Amino acid sequence: DAKTTQPPSMDCAEGRAANLPCNHSTISGNEYVYWYRQIHSQGPQYIIHGLKNNETNEMASLIITEDRKSSTLILPHATLRDTAVYYCIVNSGYALNFGKGTSLLVTP
Amino acid sequence: SQTIHQWPATLVQPVGSPLSLECTVEGTSNPNLYWYRQAAGRGLQLLFYSVGIGQISSEVPQNLSASRPQDRQFILSSKKLLLSDSGFYLCAWMGYGQNTEAFFGQGTRLTVV
């Protein structure tokens, strides 16, 4: 499985956009990039995923570079409830390795 | 719709005692099933995954084992718990292929005393 690299922590002011980067330089052509988040003491929650094209849903946008070696999750208007650990994962269809993620703190 | 059940929610067990955590999935067939552990303040560690009945892949050698006796049932076990087995255990399922998301249970918080 392709490994991912994320910054350990980030801060964002409430109402601003939160841009969370992820490097996945060894991703294969048929592997999808997934983003999940985990709020303390809960199971991870699916956010969004993509293969090549940028994706948007009601929660977030996903920007994938043309070479697919990195991606950025964008929370357009962060709220206090978006404070969580965000995981970027490359899905090979078998083992899902979450890594350590990015701890996002949204401040008032 | 698909649902995943995991129990118990919390568990306190003495060192050396056995463990059995059960996870069942409804509303889907032949899911990929996963067990994760999260130690306090740490990330999610993949312990086991299964792509079918009786098929178990272990990611990390340790004091635990997993079994899949039925298509939608995944069990995590230990014969003798260690203090280091304490943590938050999560079961998850995912459909076949790479274009499918994973769904997680609510987790079991295990404290070994």
Side-chain angles (χ1 to χ4, degrees):
Chain A
D1 294 339
K3 292 187 71 173
T4 61
T5 304
Q6 299 176 253
S9 62
M10 294 182 64
D11 292 347
C12 178
E14 188 177 19
R16 298 289 188 126
N19 298 293
L20 291 87
C22 179
N23 287 325
H24 32 78
S25 58
T26 61
I27 193 170
S28 299
N30 56 353
E31 292 178 323
Y32 284 74
V33 178
Y34 278 74
W35 283 82
Y36 292 81
R37 72 180 183 185
Q38 186 179 25
I39 296 171
H40 183 62
S41 297
Q42 297 181 23
Q45 174 192 24
Y46 165 80
I47 301 173
I48 198 167
H49 73 284
L51 181 64
K52 295 180 183 178
N53 300 320
N54 299 337
E55 302 287 344
T56 295
N57 62 21
E58 65 278 2
M59 289 182 67
S61 294
L62 174 60
I63 309 298
I64 302 174
T65 57
E66 194 169 339
D67 63 8
R68 302 211 325 121
K69 293 185 177 182
S70 65
S71 61
T72 300
L73 178 75
I74 300 173
L75 307 179
H77 305 287
T79 70
L80 298 179
R81 281 191 273 184
D82 291 323
T83 292
V85 177
Y86 288 77
Y87 296 97
C88 167
I89 303 162
V90 171
N91 187 359
S92 66
Y94 294 100
L96 293 179
N97 289 293
F98 274 70
K100 297 182 179 179
T102 296
S103 179
L104 175 68
L105 176 63
V106 181
T107 56
Chain B
S1 64
Q2 306 91 349
T3 55
I4 180 168
H5 301 282
Q6 186 182 344
W7 67 92
T10 59
L11 191 60
V12 180
Q13 292 283 102
V15 168
S17 64
L19 173 73
S20 180
L21 300 180
E22 187 165 343
C23 172
T24 60
V25 180
E26 295 178 357
T28 186
S29 297
N30 197 29
N32 288 352
L33 295 172
Y34 303 85
W35 277 111
Y36 291 88
R37 176 172 62 197
Q38 188 169 37
R42 307 291 292 274
L44 285 165
Q45 180 186 37
L46 178 61
L47 301 176
F48 302 95
Y49 71 93
S50 171
V51 299
I53 296 174
Q55 300 178 61
I56 308 296
S57 295
S58 174
E59 290 293 296
V60 182
Q62 55 205 316
N63 185 40
L64 301 168
S65 62
S67 62
R68 185 171 178 174
Q70 301 179 45
D71 181 43
R72 286 171 283 184
Q73 183 185 30
F74 205 23
I75 298 172
L76 183 69
S77 304
S78 174
K79 293 182 179 179
K80 289 185 178 182
L81 284 169
L82 307 172
L83 287 174
S84 57
D85 292 323
S86 293
F88 188 47
Y89 288 82
L90 285 157
C91 178
W93 78 269
M94 188 173 72
Y96 176 78
Q98 293 142 313
N99 187 19
T100 175
E101 66 196 78
F103 297 89
F104 286 81
Q106 290 304 301
T108 295
R109 187 159 303 282
L110 171 67
T111 304
V112 183
V113 296

PDB file of all heavy atoms in Angstrom, chain B residues 6 12 18 26-27 29 36 42 48 52 58 60 62 68 70-71 80 84-85 88 107 109:
ATOM      1  N   GLN B   6     -20.918  -3.258  17.202  1.00  0.00           N
ATOM      2  CA  GLN B   6     -19.713  -3.643  17.924  1.00  0.00           C
ATOM      3  C   GLN B   6     -20.030  -3.562  19.411  1.00  0.00           C
ATOM      4  O   GLN B   6     -20.554  -2.559  19.883  1.00  0.00           O
ATOM      5  CB  GLN B   6     -18.572  -2.686  17.557  1.00  0.00           C
ATOM      6  CG  GLN B   6     -17.242  -3.066  18.122  1.00  0.00           C
ATOM      7  CD  GLN B   6     -16.148  -2.078  17.784  1.00  0.00           C
ATOM      8  OE1 GLN B   6     -16.271  -1.244  16.887  1.00  0.00           O
ATOM      9  NE2 GLN B   6     -15.064  -2.140  18.534  1.00  0.00           N
ATOM     10  N   VAL B  12     -13.567  -3.640  31.268  1.00  0.00           N
ATOM     11  CA  VAL B  12     -12.423  -3.639  32.173  1.00  0.00           C
ATOM     12  C   VAL B  12     -12.113  -5.091  32.502  1.00  0.00           C
ATOM     13  O   VAL B  12     -12.979  -5.819  32.989  1.00  0.00           O
ATOM     14  CB  VAL B  12     -12.718  -2.851  33.471  1.00  0.00           C
ATOM     15  CG1 VAL B  12     -11.505  -2.884  34.383  1.00  0.00           C
ATOM     16  CG2 VAL B  12     -13.100  -1.417  33.135  1.00  0.00           C
ATOM     17  N   PRO B  18      -9.067 -13.796  29.517  1.00  0.00           N
ATOM     18  CA  PRO B  18      -9.307 -13.871  28.070  1.00  0.00           C
ATOM     19  C   PRO B  18     -10.144 -12.685  27.589  1.00  0.00           C
ATOM     20  O   PRO B  18     -10.761 -11.966  28.376  1.00  0.00           O
ATOM     21  CB  PRO B  18     -10.078 -15.173  27.912  1.00  0.00           C
ATOM     22  CG  PRO B  18     -10.791 -15.335  29.221  1.00  0.00           C
ATOM     23  CD  PRO B  18      -9.898 -14.741  30.260  1.00  0.00           C
ATOM     24  N   GLU B  26     -24.613  -5.663   9.043  1.00  0.00           N
ATOM     25  CA  GLU B  26     -25.900  -5.954   8.427  1.00  0.00           C
ATOM     26  C   GLU B  26     -26.032  -5.192   7.120  1.00  0.00           C
ATOM     27  O   GLU B  26     -25.478  -4.105   6.957  1.00  0.00           O
ATOM     28  CB  GLU B  26     -27.044  -5.542   9.369  1.00  0.00           C
ATOM     29  CG  GLU B  26     -27.107  -6.325  10.664  1.00  0.00           C
ATOM     30  CD  GLU B  26     -28.224  -5.836  11.571  1.00  0.00           C
ATOM     31  OE1 GLU B  26     -28.903  -4.851  11.200  1.00  0.00           O
ATOM     32  OE2 GLU B  26     -28.421  -6.414  12.653  1.00  0.00           O
ATOM     33  N   GLY B  27     -26.778  -5.772   6.206  1.00  0.00           N
ATOM     34  CA  GLY B  27     -27.134  -5.047   4.991  1.00  0.00           C
ATOM     35  C   GLY B  27     -26.128  -5.123   3.877  1.00  0.00           C
ATOM     36  O   GLY B  27     -26.230  -4.374   2.893  1.00  0.00           O
ATOM     37  N   SER B  29     -23.112  -8.017   1.798  1.00  0.00           N
ATOM     38  CA  SER B  29     -22.562  -9.367   1.704  1.00  0.00           C
ATOM     39  C   SER B  29     -21.090  -9.308   1.350  1.00  0.00           C
ATOM     40  O   SER B  29     -20.644  -8.421   0.619  1.00  0.00           O
ATOM     41  CB  SER B  29     -23.298 -10.158   0.616  1.00  0.00           C
ATOM     42  OG  SER B  29     -24.657 -10.302   0.947  1.00  0.00           O
ATOM     43  N   TYR B  36      -9.054  -2.503  14.330  1.00  0.00           N
ATOM     44  CA  TYR B  36      -8.039  -1.501  14.629  1.00  0.00           C
ATOM     45  C   TYR B  36      -7.931  -1.323  16.139  1.00  0.00           C
ATOM     46  O   TYR B  36      -8.885  -1.545  16.878  1.00  0.00           O
ATOM     47  CB  TYR B  36      -8.414  -0.138  14.034  1.00  0.00           C
ATOM     48  CG  TYR B  36      -8.362  -0.059  12.537  1.00  0.00           C
ATOM     49  CD1 TYR B  36      -9.473  -0.400  11.779  1.00  0.00           C
ATOM     50  CD2 TYR B  36      -7.220   0.374  11.879  1.00  0.00           C
ATOM     51  CE1 TYR B  36      -9.432  -0.329  10.391  1.00  0.00           C
ATOM     52  CE2 TYR B  36      -7.171   0.455  10.500  1.00  0.00           C
ATOM     53  CZ  TYR B  36      -8.282   0.100   9.762  1.00  0.00           C
ATOM     54  OH  TYR B  36      -8.240   0.181   8.398  1.00  0.00           O
ATOM     55  N   ARG B  42      -2.745   8.141  20.418  1.00  0.00           N
ATOM     56  CA  ARG B  42      -2.031   7.617  19.255  1.00  0.00           C
ATOM     57  C   ARG B  42      -2.978   7.478  18.064  1.00  0.00           C
ATOM     58  O   ARG B  42      -4.181   7.636  18.177  1.00  0.00           O
ATOM     59  CB  ARG B  42      -1.435   6.253  19.601  1.00  0.00           C
ATOM     60  CG  ARG B  42      -0.579   6.245  20.853  1.00  0.00           C
ATOM     61  CD  ARG B  42       0.714   6.999  20.663  1.00  0.00           C
ATOM     62  NE  ARG B  42       1.615   6.355  19.736  1.00  0.00           N
ATOM     63  CZ  ARG B  42       2.471   5.402  20.072  1.00  0.00           C
ATOM     64  NH1 ARG B  42       2.524   4.970  21.312  1.00  0.00           N
ATOM     65  NH2 ARG B  42       3.269   4.873  19.163  1.00  0.00           N
ATOM     66  N   PHE B  48      -5.918  -6.546  12.176  1.00  0.00           N
ATOM     67  CA  PHE B  48      -6.295  -7.666  11.308  1.00  0.00           C
ATOM     68  C   PHE B  48      -7.263  -7.186  10.239  1.00  0.00           C
ATOM     69  O   PHE B  48      -8.021  -6.249  10.466  1.00  0.00           O
ATOM     70  CB  PHE B  48      -6.998  -8.784  12.100  1.00  0.00           C
ATOM     71  CG  PHE B  48      -6.199  -9.356  13.216  1.00  0.00           C
ATOM     72  CD1 PHE B  48      -6.356  -8.863  14.510  1.00  0.00           C
ATOM     73  CD2 PHE B  48      -5.306 -10.391  13.001  1.00  0.00           C
ATOM     74  CE1 PHE B  48      -5.616  -9.386  15.559  1.00  0.00           C
ATOM     75  CE2 PHE B  48      -4.561 -10.921  14.045  1.00  0.00           C
ATOM     76  CZ  PHE B  48      -4.720 -10.412  15.323  1.00  0.00           C
ATOM     77  N   GLY B  52     -12.717 -12.594   3.533  1.00  0.00           N
ATOM     78  CA  GLY B  52     -13.710 -13.639   3.398  1.00  0.00           C
ATOM     79  C   GLY B  52     -13.721 -14.553   4.613  1.00  0.00           C
ATOM     80  O   GLY B  52     -12.842 -14.462   5.481  1.00  0.00           O
ATOM     81  N   SER B  58      -2.908 -10.767   9.341  1.00  0.00           N
ATOM     82  CA  SER B  58      -2.438 -10.076  10.532  1.00  0.00           C
ATOM     83  C   SER B  58      -1.409  -9.040  10.132  1.00  0.00           C
ATOM     84  O   SER B  58      -0.465  -9.356   9.411  1.00  0.00           O
ATOM     85  CB  SER B  58      -1.816 -11.078  11.499  1.00  0.00           C
ATOM     86  OG  SER B  58      -1.234 -10.406  12.603  1.00  0.00           O
ATOM     87  N   VAL B  60       0.138  -6.913  12.509  1.00  0.00           N
ATOM     88  CA  VAL B  60       1.111  -6.690  13.571  1.00  0.00           C
ATOM     89  C   VAL B  60       1.128  -7.917  14.482  1.00  0.00           C
ATOM     90  O   VAL B  60       0.109  -8.283  15.024  1.00  0.00           O
ATOM     91  CB  VAL B  60       0.762  -5.444  14.414  1.00  0.00           C
ATOM     92  CG1 VAL B  60       1.809  -5.219  15.479  1.00  0.00           C
ATOM     93  CG2 VAL B  60       0.610  -4.217  13.536  1.00  0.00           C
ATOM     94  N   GLN B  62       1.266  -9.985  17.687  1.00  0.00           N
ATOM     95  CA  GLN B  62       0.972  -9.561  19.049  1.00  0.00           C
ATOM     96  C   GLN B  62       0.180 -10.629  19.778  1.00  0.00           C
ATOM     97  O   GLN B  62       0.047 -11.749  19.309  1.00  0.00           O
ATOM     98  CB  GLN B  62       0.152  -8.279  18.995  1.00  0.00           C
ATOM     99  CG  GLN B  62      -1.100  -8.416  18.163  1.00  0.00           C
ATOM    100  CD  GLN B  62      -1.533  -7.066  17.626  1.00  0.00           C
ATOM    101  OE1 GLN B  62      -1.529  -6.078  18.332  1.00  0.00           O
ATOM    102  NE2 GLN B  62      -1.849  -7.024  16.355  1.00  0.00           N
ATOM    103  N   ARG B  68     -13.157 -15.165  11.642  1.00  0.00           N
ATOM    104  CA  ARG B  68     -14.342 -14.774  10.869  1.00  0.00           C
ATOM    105  C   ARG B  68     -15.137 -16.044  10.599  1.00  0.00           C
ATOM    106  O   ARG B  68     -15.023 -16.655   9.539  1.00  0.00           O
ATOM    107  CB  ARG B  68     -13.958 -14.082   9.579  1.00  0.00           C
ATOM    108  CG  ARG B  68     -15.156 -13.549   8.795  1.00  0.00           C
ATOM    109  CD  ARG B  68     -14.704 -12.680   7.652  1.00  0.00           C
ATOM    110  NE  ARG B  68     -15.807 -12.202   6.851  1.00  0.00           N
ATOM    111  CZ  ARG B  68     -15.682 -11.323   5.858  1.00  0.00           C
ATOM    112  NH1 ARG B  68     -14.485 -10.849   5.554  1.00  0.00           N
ATOM    113  NH2 ARG B  68     -16.741 -10.940   5.173  1.00  0.00           N
ATOM    114  N   GLN B  70     -18.396 -16.391  10.251  1.00  0.00           N
ATOM    115  CA  GLN B  70     -19.488 -16.163   9.304  1.00  0.00           C
ATOM    116  C   GLN B  70     -19.168 -14.943   8.447  1.00  0.00           C
ATOM    117  O   GLN B  70     -18.298 -14.131   8.815  1.00  0.00           O
ATOM    118  CB  GLN B  70     -20.814 -15.945  10.057  1.00  0.00           C
ATOM    119  CG  GLN B  70     -21.229 -17.102  10.937  1.00  0.00           C
ATOM    120  CD  GLN B  70     -22.533 -16.805  11.653  1.00  0.00           C
ATOM    121  OE1 GLN B  70     -23.497 -16.311  11.056  1.00  0.00           O
ATOM    122  NE2 GLN B  70     -22.573 -17.121  12.938  1.00  0.00           N
ATOM    123  N   ASP B  71     -19.877 -14.797   7.357  1.00  0.00           N
ATOM    124  CA  ASP B  71     -19.573 -13.737   6.394  1.00  0.00           C
ATOM    125  C   ASP B  71     -19.572 -12.355   7.027  1.00  0.00           C
ATOM    126  O   ASP B  71     -18.737 -11.505   6.699  1.00  0.00           O
ATOM    127  CB  ASP B  71     -20.586 -13.790   5.245  1.00  0.00           C
ATOM    128  CG  ASP B  71     -20.314 -12.737   4.193  1.00  0.00           C
ATOM    129  OD1 ASP B  71     -19.128 -12.544   3.838  1.00  0.00           O
ATOM    130  OD2 ASP B  71     -21.270 -12.091   3.726  1.00  0.00           O
ATOM    131  N   LYS B  80      -4.811 -14.459  26.922  1.00  0.00           N
ATOM    132  CA  LYS B  80      -4.345 -13.848  28.171  1.00  0.00           C
ATOM    133  C   LYS B  80      -4.002 -12.386  27.908  1.00  0.00           C
ATOM    134  O   LYS B  80      -3.010 -12.093  27.252  1.00  0.00           O
ATOM    135  CB  LYS B  80      -3.108 -14.574  28.710  1.00  0.00           C
ATOM    136  CG  LYS B  80      -3.359 -15.941  29.273  1.00  0.00           C
ATOM    137  CD  LYS B  80      -2.080 -16.523  29.890  1.00  0.00           C
ATOM    138  CE  LYS B  80      -2.346 -17.891  30.499  1.00  0.00           C
ATOM    139  NZ  LYS B  80      -1.119 -18.451  31.135  1.00  0.00           N
ATOM    140  N   SER B  84      -0.573  -3.892  28.106  1.00  0.00           N
ATOM    141  CA  SER B  84      -0.367  -3.156  26.857  1.00  0.00           C
ATOM    142  C   SER B  84      -1.496  -3.376  25.851  1.00  0.00           C
ATOM    143  O   SER B  84      -1.529  -2.717  24.807  1.00  0.00           O
ATOM    144  CB  SER B  84       0.965  -3.562  26.219  1.00  0.00           C
ATOM    145  OG  SER B  84       0.998  -4.960  25.998  1.00  0.00           O
ATOM    146  N   ASP B  85      -2.425  -4.268  26.162  1.00  0.00           N
ATOM    147  CA  ASP B  85      -3.569  -4.471  25.276  1.00  0.00           C
ATOM    148  C   ASP B  85      -4.656  -3.423  25.489  1.00  0.00           C
ATOM    149  O   ASP B  85      -5.634  -3.377  24.738  1.00  0.00           O
ATOM    150  CB  ASP B  85      -4.167  -5.871  25.479  1.00  0.00           C
ATOM    151  CG  ASP B  85      -3.237  -6.966  24.995  1.00  0.00           C
ATOM    152  OD1 ASP B  85      -2.555  -6.760  23.969  1.00  0.00           O
ATOM    153  OD2 ASP B  85      -3.188  -8.039  25.646  1.00  0.00           O
ATOM    154  N   PHE B  88      -8.496   1.569  22.554  1.00  0.00           N
ATOM    155  CA  PHE B  88      -9.800   1.739  21.914  1.00  0.00           C
ATOM    156  C   PHE B  88      -9.805   0.857  20.669  1.00  0.00           C
ATOM    157  O   PHE B  88      -9.007   1.061  19.759  1.00  0.00           O
ATOM    158  CB  PHE B  88      -9.978   3.223  21.565  1.00  0.00           C
ATOM    159  CG  PHE B  88     -11.337   3.602  21.079  1.00  0.00           C
ATOM    160  CD1 PHE B  88     -12.474   3.177  21.748  1.00  0.00           C
ATOM    161  CD2 PHE B  88     -11.493   4.415  19.969  1.00  0.00           C
ATOM    162  CE1 PHE B  88     -13.739   3.553  21.311  1.00  0.00           C
ATOM    163  CE2 PHE B  88     -12.746   4.800  19.528  1.00  0.00           C
ATOM    164  CZ  PHE B  88     -13.870   4.360  20.203  1.00  0.00           C
ATOM    165  N   GLY B 107     -16.853   1.402  18.571  1.00  0.00           N
ATOM    166  CA  GLY B 107     -15.630   1.122  19.318  1.00  0.00           C
ATOM    167  C   GLY B 107     -15.868   0.507  20.687  1.00  0.00           C
ATOM    168  O   GLY B 107     -16.946   0.639  21.274  1.00  0.00           O
ATOM    169  N   ARG B 109     -13.853   0.433  24.371  1.00  0.00           N
ATOM    170  CA  ARG B 109     -12.723   0.936  25.154  1.00  0.00           C
ATOM    171  C   ARG B 109     -12.356  -0.137  26.172  1.00  0.00           C
ATOM    172  O   ARG B 109     -13.103  -0.409  27.103  1.00  0.00           O
ATOM    173  CB  ARG B 109     -13.076   2.238  25.850  1.00  0.00           C
ATOM    174  CG  ARG B 109     -11.879   2.884  26.536  1.00  0.00           C
ATOM    175  CD  ARG B 109     -12.057   4.363  26.782  1.00  0.00           C
ATOM    176  NE  ARG B 109     -12.330   5.120  25.569  1.00  0.00           N
ATOM    177  CZ  ARG B 109     -11.418   5.480  24.683  1.00  0.00           C
ATOM    178  NH1 ARG B 109     -10.154   5.148  24.848  1.00  0.00           N
ATOM    179  NH2 ARG B 109     -11.765   6.186  23.638  1.00  0.00           N
TER     180      ARG B 109
END
